[in-house]
Amino acid sequence: MATPLVGGGPAALGGGGAGGRGTDGRWGAYGAAITRWETLTRPAPAPTDAAGRLRADFVEWMQGLDSGWVTATPGLGRPAQLTALGNGVVPQQASRALQLLAPPFPRCPRCAGQ
């Protein structure tokens, strides 16, 4: 069984809204990071379900994907959703990798003098 991030069990972890998350203890040491990511994306869903298992929509949110990008796929259960998310690429990381790895385009010799 998964352990909650901070005491109080899965119900205490609830999602929705940044309302004082950095100070209310629900996210523990991760409160500031959760709040920052919420301001860039949307309110964080609860990280675990009633049984204490990781929720796929929380992983989807952490990766910066649109709500339902994976979790709204018809016929895809929780284990398959988590597998797809785990094998997926985080768009922000892929973009940065391409920026760092792609060689710069050479300047056109004819255009350089213009």
Side-chain angles (χ1 to χ4, degrees):
M1 179 171 160
T3 39
L5 295 175
V6 178
L13 293 173
R21 252 193 231 216
T23 58
D24 71 4
R26 277 191 269 187
W27 297 101
Y30 304 103
I34 294 287
T35 300
R36 273 193 313 272
W37 195 235
E38 284 180 322
T39 62
L40 295 170
T41 59
R42 62 184 179 278
T48 57
D49 62 14
R53 301 175 305 170
L54 180 64
R55 289 178 42 160
D57 61 338
F58 181 70
V59 176
E60 191 174 60
W61 172 81
M62 284 194 307
Q63 293 183 349
L65 300 171
D66 290 337
S67 182
W69 185 258
V70 172
T71 57
T73 303
L76 203 59
R78 181 185 159 276
Q81 290 172 1
L82 290 171
T83 298
L85 289 163
N87 290 331
V89 173
V90 176
Q92 296 85 351
Q93 288 177 320
S95 175
R96 184 64 178 145
L98 290 173
Q99 289 171 354
L100 294 172
L101 297 174
F105 285 104
R107 298 278 308 171
C108 171
R110 292 183 314 210
C111 302
Q114 295 179 0

